[in-house]
Amino acid sequence: MEKTNTPYQALFQPFKLGLIERTGCFSTTVVSPGLECNNRITLSAMTRGRCGQDLVPTDQHIEYYSQRAACGFIVTESASISDRSLAYGGAPGIFNDVQAQGWKRVVDKVHSVKGNIFIQLLHCGRQTHSSLQNGQIPLAPSAIRIRGQNQIVKKDFEVPQEMSQQDINQVVRQYREAAERAKKVGFDGIELNAGHGHLPDQFLRNSANKRTDTYGGSAQNRCKFLLEVVQQLIEVFGASRIGVKLTPITHHADMNDSNPLELYQTLLRALSNLKIAYVVLKNENDPDNFQDFGYPASKKQIPCVYSAFRNYFTGSIVANGGITLEEADEGIRLGKFDFVAFGQLFISNPDLVERAKNGYQLNKNIDWGTVFFGDSKGYTDYPKYQVPQNVQSELLKPLKINDLFLPNRITMSAMDRVRTPAPYIPTELNAKYYAQRATAGLIVCEATPVSQRSISYPGSPCIYNDEQAKGWALVTKAVHDKGGRLFLQLFHGGRKTHSSLQNGLEPWAPSAIAIRGNCYSAQNKPFEVPHEMTDAEIQLTLQEFVDAAKRAKTAGFDGVEINAGNGHLPDQFLRDSSNKRTDQWGGSVENRCRFVIQLVQKLNAIYPGRVSIKFTPIGHTGDMNDSNPIQLYTYLLTQLSKLNLAYVTLVEDKSQENAEGFGYPASDKQIQNLYKSLRPHYKGILLANHSITPERANQDIKDGLYDAVSFGQLYINNPDLVYRVRNAFQLNTNFDFKTYFGGDEKGYTDFPTFDEEKKQ
């Protein structure tokens, strides 16, 4: 599948549900081709109570389900299989042909808009009241009533009738007959509701099943009823079109099992042997003594049902239960589950799939007074998302950088934030900061010194030893778990530092020329005259970059960016205000570019196609200038075009005449239009940086001046910058400069998202 600009790449990978292949010695035979699902989003079964007394689906059901048909597959609300399995007034049935014909109209409409639809079959067992089913006493595996009141009729639950073998046979037959009707009207498959305290769940769990025959006692016996039902459904639909919903640790309807791990491992092994398409697992969070039942908290029984049971079932796992889009995407990407069944989000977002695909804002304003029962209000009248006219659409287009896919063109610039004290090992705080911004097309982590002699800013994380690399691995995992991509910016300060910042080591530079002014990171001490590097020291420094890149790869970075601007070491070799050498490393443009070109070539051997570089051609920071920047960068970009870089970033500096008293000309006098002037000389991907607004970037990309933009300041205050741009939401521009450099989480990880701002 071709990737798109969705922020949820995993959710939008297609899937063949129920694909069964048999591999022989020389070939693979397709036993079941599977159901083509365009995405991993499913509509969870939700009772909405919109039927009349005949329990026949209506025009409202047709509209409701067709509105949501873009998901991978729909699972309808629970449909009762007999007139003795009625739990909810207004819920549809499928125990007669009239009801089946009502469902046919729903199925035909969903199929007409290219949707897939399963029907969920329900027998509620004891979880009902005789007044809801024409005076018939509820059935159950054992004569044990649910403690509490039936909220539909506001009466205490009754003691159910313990099912005889004849009753069991009849109910199994009713499941089959319902499946046959579903098959006849065109449903794509069946989901058996075996959770939430309904009849199959009552057979499974030993709080409700006290039988001493072959349907009770051991875990294997308690699975027998459910497996008999599933076998009948398979005979009608085939195993590849059957799903089962399970709620192993929910206590709803007075349900519990004394050993849920053993029970559901036993059940899932059996279902796996039957090769059904999927199971739904609900990850519940009931507290201790939920509803005064006295049962232990859900999480005390099984902290996570997905990790507990994933290895016991070979089919697809569908996750369910209060999962966000972000958690869903992450869980699928990490292999915890294969689909996610959304319930509440689908109530108020009929276009949930479209909103998720495009990163649009979700409507979380559910009218709870209309969720159960009623007419179209709160059922089919929730509006679809209206795209604002001022969305910066060019920024949201995907971008391919060699073999790396970027879902959008909004990248995060490397920014020193100085939150990593000596020994300069990245921490969980750094990981949290970058993970919050993982929706960026690409993150470039802050300037990272490649050696002890390259430190300019105390508190910057480094990568010159293995412990630092392990710290960075926390960051890469956090970002990758959120679906992000990140490069590490490799940094050497050269002369732009002070010996007091690097354990007394004197700064190195191409020439022994001090920066005029003071080093603010060294308590404003005057910059020192650096040591002019020998050829051997140049080679040593190149090797330090190589070693750092190897550590970056070990730490899990997707690539590296060389900081060759802002007056740092590679920049000092490039520009003739700082490079007065007369050997092969200085003098001509070709010689001054030698350090950078060799550095790129060496790093390309480690990260082929994933090396990038950042330049500030007209910036004067660090007492930098070149007498002919057009000539220098025309040559350099032409040479770099041959080296298969990931990208080049050009910083559009705004230095004024005689900035900082250096005497250099204003930036725009040197190169009036940086991107228009240099774009023709670089044939690869070009990024722009420095105080560019989303509006300007959108237009410049459209005009072909560059391919993507690197945002700095805006990413400090807006961890959800991509989301804000997608929805044309206001950006947070209340910059607190006091918290930019150094400190703790304040001004670092505590900026709210747009949705969090609204709640405040």
Side-chain angles (χ1 to χ4, degrees), residues 311-592:
N311 294 332
Y312 294 91
F313 182 69
T314 56
S316 297
I317 299 288
V318 181
N320 178 238
I323 299 173
T324 66
L325 289 171
E326 291 75 17
E327 291 166 342
D329 194 69
E330 180 178 333
I332 292 170
R333 187 169 48 257
L334 297 178
K336 294 179 179 179
F337 38 78
D338 305 290
F339 288 84
V340 176
F342 291 101
Q344 286 185 16
L345 284 181
F346 259 122
I347 292 176
S348 52
N349 298 276
D351 56 340
L352 177 62
V353 172
E354 190 68 14
R355 290 183 189 239
K357 186 174 184 179
N358 292 287
Y360 296 149
Q361 185 182 31
L362 299 179
N363 177 10
K364 296 182 180 179
N365 297 317
I366 296 176
D367 179 1
W368 291 102
T370 61
V371 168
F372 306 107
F373 314 114
D375 51 21
S376 60
K377 181 172 172 55
Y379 190 57
T380 58
D381 64 344
Y382 282 103
K384 292 184 177 181
Y385 183 82
Q386 298 297 312
V387 181
Q389 293 183 345
N390 57 336
V391 167
Q392 310 302 324
S393 58
E394 294 295 324
L395 283 173
L396 301 174
K397 290 181 177 178
L399 180 65
K400 191 90 181 302
I401 297 181
N402 291 327
D403 64 343
L404 182 66
F405 176 82
L406 273 56
N408 58 70
R409 298 177 184 230
I410 298 171
T411 76
M412 177 178 168
S413 176
M415 291 178 287
D416 296 301
R417 303 302 309 279
V418 195
R419 254 78 173 185
T420 315
Y424 311 130
I425 299 172
T427 66
E428 293 287 357
L429 183 64
N430 304 116
K432 180 179 179 181
Y433 170 74
Y434 286 111
Q436 287 175 338
R437 291 151 178 83
T439 55
L442 176 69
I443 289 172
V444 182
C445 293
E446 56 212 283
T448 304
V450 299
S451 70
Q452 198 171 40
R453 196 187 287 273
S454 63
I455 297 172
S456 290
Y457 311 105
S460 292
C462 297
I463 195 159
Y464 56 78
N465 65 44
D466 292 343
E467 290 305 308
Q468 293 161 351
K470 289 177 183 176
W472 276 118
L474 297 175
V475 176
T476 60
K477 183 180 186 306
V479 172
H480 287 152
D481 284 355
K482 296 293 184 183
R485 299 138 297 276
L486 71 170
F487 278 27
L488 182 65
Q489 189 183 82
L490 302 180
F491 169 84
H492 195 301
R495 68 177 186 172
K496 194 181 176 185
T497 183
H498 194 276
S499 58
S500 63
L501 299 176
Q502 38 195 36
N503 290 330
L505 297 172
E506 62 181 340
W508 284 0
S511 299
I513 303 171
I515 298 173
R516 290 170 282 181
N518 298 328
C519 180
Y520 75 89
S521 57
Q523 299 177 329
N524 271 333
K525 296 174 184 177
F527 281 105
E528 301 160 302
V529 176
H531 165 72
E532 183 171 309
M533 298 168 72
T534 65
D535 191 76
E537 289 163 348
I538 290 172
Q539 295 301 330
L540 173 64
T541 301
L542 288 170
Q543 186 59 44
E544 287 171 341
F545 273 97
V546 169
D547 293 342
K550 289 178 179 177
R551 290 191 183 95
K553 193 161 192 175
T554 300
F557 281 97
D558 299 300
V560 291
E561 179 180 281
I562 301 165
N563 187 333
N566 291 317
H568 300 123
L569 185 64
D571 196 16
Q572 295 161 28
F573 272 95
L574 289 174
R575 295 202 264 178
D576 57 14
S577 68
S578 56
N579 186 346
K580 303 297 184 182
R581 301 177 74 98
T582 57
D583 61 2
Q584 63 173 329
W585 305 101
S588 67
V589 165
E590 292 84 353
N591 283 357
R592 284 185 279 124

Side-chain angles (χ1 to χ4, degrees), residues 591-756:
N591 283 357
R592 284 185 279 124
C593 291
R594 192 181 307 279
F595 181 87
V596 165
I597 290 172
Q598 284 197 16
L599 178 55
V600 168
Q601 289 170 332
K602 288 176 181 293
L603 298 189
N604 256 340
I606 301 161
Y607 271 112
R610 297 289 185 92
V611 177
S612 59
I613 194 161
K614 184 174 187 175
F615 298 118
T616 54
I618 50 177
H620 298 316
T621 299
D623 201 354
M624 295 299 296
N625 186 63
D626 195 80
S627 57
N628 192 340
I630 282 284
Q631 180 190 29
L632 170 62
Y633 288 95
T634 294
Y635 171 80
L636 181 57
L637 291 172
T638 301
Q639 297 306 306
L640 292 177
S641 292
K642 305 172 186 177
L643 298 182
N644 192 36
L645 286 172
Y647 63 85
V648 166
T649 298
L650 295 179
V651 180
E652 185 184 48
D653 203 284
K654 302 289 186 182
S655 296
Q656 301 301 309
E657 195 86 30
N658 192 29
E660 300 186 50
F662 293 151
Y664 302 133
S667 297
D668 58 6
K669 283 188 178 178
Q670 293 195 297
I671 302 178
Q672 286 193 345
N673 190 318
L674 184 69
Y675 304 114
K676 188 175 287 186
S677 299
L678 296 181
R679 165 93 262 193
H681 303 291
Y682 184 65
K683 305 306 180 187
I685 300 295
L686 189 66
L687 271 63
N689 176 246
H690 201 279
S691 302
I692 297 172
T693 65
E695 293 76 17
R696 178 193 158 184
N698 194 73
Q699 188 60 50
D700 284 354
I701 292 171
K702 191 173 184 180
D703 293 342
L705 294 181
Y706 42 82
D707 302 290
V709 66
S710 175
F711 291 108
Q713 263 191 1
L714 284 180
Y715 255 120
I716 292 177
N717 287 30
N718 300 276
D720 59 339
L721 181 60
V722 174
Y723 179 68
R724 292 179 188 246
V725 171
R726 282 184 186 278
N727 291 278
F729 291 151
Q730 185 176 3
L731 302 181
N732 179 359
T733 55
N734 297 317
F735 302 113
D736 182 3
F737 296 100
K738 296 190 298 295
T739 62
Y740 268 25
F741 306 109
D744 50 20
E745 66 274 2
K746 181 172 172 55
Y748 189 57
T749 58
D750 63 345
F751 284 105
T753 64
F754 180 82
D755 289 342
E756 288 168 346

